[in-house]
Amino acid sequence: DNVRQGVAVFLGSLASHLEKTDPRVRQILSRLVDVLSTPSEVVQKSVADCLPLLAQSLDEDERRALVESLLAQIIGGEGYADRRGAAFGLAGAVKGMGIGSLKLFGVMDAIKAAVEDKNAPEER
């Protein structure tokens, strides 16, 4: 866990020093999002702390794709660690994009619909 946490912090710090238009920022972001499925809260929190700076460098379509993929993972994730990691990631991404992104990308509506769905207990 310590190694994964260190790598996540290193990649996030490295990406924050790259220019926003650098294609390596997107590669680092996708790797960090993949690391969110690690069943370690320490690693997930470290990745979530790195996401705000990276989310600011994305354009509108990339932001939407990131939010939609994290929401899909929260609602339909295979295990508790996947869903919890995606929730940490979504929180970090929203922190970077601003509170308005909750409404812009329909995050609250999706969460509300998942909570109200009586037929799928794993979504709640």
Side-chain angles (χ1 to χ4, degrees):
D1 286 350
N2 289 337
V3 173
R4 287 184 190 261
Q5 179 186 7
V7 169
V9 170
F10 173 73
L11 285 175
S13 298
L14 176 69
S16 68
H17 293 290
L18 295 174
E19 292 194 27
K20 292 183 177 184
T21 58
D22 195 331
R24 293 178 288 185
V25 172
R26 277 119 184 107
Q27 292 173 345
I28 291 171
L29 180 65
S30 73
R31 286 189 182 165
L32 288 175
V33 170
D34 291 341
V35 171
L36 284 171
S37 63
T38 303
S40 169
E41 184 176 347
V42 176
V43 174
Q44 292 169 345
K45 283 185 178 182
S46 296
V47 172
D49 290 340
C50 298
L51 287 180
L53 290 173
L54 299 177
Q56 292 173 357
S57 66
L58 300 176
D59 64 17
E60 188 75 20
D61 292 333
E62 292 170 326
R63 288 179 179 190
R64 182 173 300 280
L66 175 64
V67 168
E68 287 175 357
S69 70
L70 289 172
L71 271 174
Q73 197 171 357
I74 289 171
I75 293 171
E78 293 178 19
Y80 178 72
D82 291 338
R83 292 191 302 267
R84 185 176 173 103
F88 276 121
L90 184 62
V94 166
K95 182 177 180 182
M97 292 184 251
I99 196 77
S101 63
L102 289 174
K103 183 168 177 103
L104 180 66
F105 300 124
V107 173
M108 295 307 293
D109 295 332
I111 292 173
K112 184 178 178 183
V115 168
E116 291 176 348
D117 187 6
K118 302 279 189 217
N119 296 327
E122 64 274 354
E123 290 182 11
R124 285 184 261 145

